[in-house]
Amino acid sequence: MHPMDSTEIHLVYDPECPVCEAYCRMIRIREVAGVLRLVNARDAGEIMDEITAKGFDIDEGMVLRVGNALYYGADAIHVLSLMSNRSGVFNRLTYWIFRSKGLSAVLYPLFRFFRNLLLKLLRKSRINNLRLPRREKF
């Protein structure tokens, strides 16, 4: 495996979540920010080991790795919005919603609540990277 290029940005998310999948497929970052790589949180690997070691519950928030820095949940969405290229309605909208760290901190839990409700209705299994008891399903 080659060392990570410093211009690579990794977005770790659950592709079994239709909302997360749509968001991750639509977000675009500015070329000067780097190259965005989508990482399936259900696949074992170095990034998931790092996320678990930090104590981040991937079922409760996506993770953005920029260089050696990890951003989790609302912080990940906030940082990603600042890197976005703002082309198209979706990218402009996410920039305006999440460019504020305070607003991101308020809105992210609300969006997560509805996401978790959707995953419960779809009977999706959790990733449970922290191996918490009785956390197999949403």
Side-chain angles (χ1 to χ4, degrees), residues 2 17 22 68 85 92 97 104 115:
H2 69 318
C17 167
N68 292 323
N85 70 7
R92 278 195 300 274
I97 293 172
S104 295
R115 168 203 180 262

Side-chain angles (χ1 to χ4, degrees), residues 1 7 12 15-16 19 22 27 40 42 59 62 69 74-75 79 84 114-115 122 126-127 131 133 136:
M1 195 162 141
T7 61
V12 185
E16 288 192 19
V19 176
I27 194 74
N40 182 341
R42 292 184 180 271
D59 289 315
M62 56 181 58
D75 290 334
V79 170
S84 72
F114 286 110
R115 168 203 180 262
L122 294 174
R126 289 181 179 269
I127 296 169
R131 305 287 184 253
E136 294 78 32

Side-chain angles (χ1 to χ4, degrees), residues 30-45:
R30 294 186 315 271
E31 278 186 36
V32 295
V35 177
L36 183 63
R37 304 275 185 228
L38 301 180
V39 178
N40 182 341
R42 292 184 180 271
D43 292 341

Side-chain angles (χ1 to χ4, degrees), residues 9 15 21 24 27 30 32 38 70 99 105 110 131-132 135:
I9 298 161
E21 177 71 11
C24 291
I27 194 74
R30 294 186 315 271
V32 295
L38 301 180
L70 288 180
R99 70 182 174 158
L110 181 65
R131 305 287 184 253
L132 300 172
R135 299 265 303 204

Side-chain angles (χ1 to χ4, degrees), residues 32-85:
V32 295
V35 177
L36 183 63
R37 304 275 185 228
L38 301 180
V39 178
N40 182 341
R42 292 184 180 271
D43 292 341
E46 172 204 340
I47 294 177
M48 279 307 298
D49 292 344
E50 188 179 348
I51 289 167
T52 301
K54 291 273 188 192
F56 296 148
D57 184 346
I58 198 70
D59 289 315
E60 296 301 319
M62 56 181 58
V63 174
L64 184 70
R65 181 165 78 176
V66 182
N68 292 323
L70 288 180
Y71 300 94
Y72 176 66
D75 290 334
I77 296 297
H78 169 68
V79 170
L80 200 52
S81 75
L82 297 178
M83 293 178 177
S84 72
N85 70 7

